[in-house]
Amino acid sequence: LHFKNVAIAVDQHLDFNNVMVSQLLDLCEHFDANIDLLHVKIGENSKAIAVDEMKALIEKRKALRVVSHEIQDDSVEHGLTSFTKYNNTDLMVVIHKHHSFLERLFKRSHTGKLALEINVPLLVLQEN
């Protein structure tokens, strides 16, 4: 199995101290993969400052190639799935956030929805 194009979903709350992010970048270097950073923008006010921070972090590793994308869509899952269909994505990476009991009770996880819809391998990393 070879991952040439890896898409990483990024939102405004990404934790860059996550050891998993560093290991993910090691994996991308190993496969000499192209990285697409994706932020799905819902509405007018959504801004992912984390995309710029993550891009800067990746660019410090000279061996990696990265492009950031802002996708306008009504649904995070649809935006990510559409991107993978039309951009030869080999692997989609998401960072699953821990939610409180009440959040889990009333709100379905983006990761859970995405797992049902995505057409490429999905790597889910757990946020610290």
Side-chain angles (χ1 to χ4, degrees), residues 1 12 31 36 39 42 110 114 126:
L1 195 57
Q12 61 269 30
F31 285 110
D36 290 301
H39 172 66
I42 299 175
H110 288 297
L114 184 62
Q126 183 67 40

Side-chain angles (χ1 to χ4, degrees), residues 6-44:
V6 175
I8 304 172
V10 179
D11 72 6
Q12 61 269 30
H13 305 294
L14 184 63
D15 176 14
F16 295 107
N17 296 321
N18 191 330
V19 172
M20 292 294 219
V21 171
S22 177
Q23 292 173 340
L24 170 63
L25 297 180
D26 291 344
L27 180 72
C28 291
E29 277 184 351
H30 173 76
F31 285 110
D32 191 31
N34 300 310
I35 299 174
D36 290 301
L37 293 179
L38 310 177
H39 172 66
V40 178
K41 182 177 178 180
I42 299 175
E44 294 300 318

Side-chain angles (χ1 to χ4, degrees), residues 71-88:
I71 302 164
Q72 182 73 42
D73 206 303
D74 294 332
S75 158
V76 171
E77 300 79 19
H78 183 263
L80 295 177
T81 302
S82 295
F83 184 89
T84 62
K85 279 184 191 174
Y86 301 110
N87 291 280
N88 298 320

Side-chain angles (χ1 to χ4, degrees), residues 97-109:
K97 298 181 181 333
H98 176 74
H99 296 285
S100 71
F101 173 74
L102 287 176
E103 288 174 320
R104 289 190 311 255
L105 188 62
F106 293 108
K107 183 179 171 186
R108 188 158 178 210
S109 149

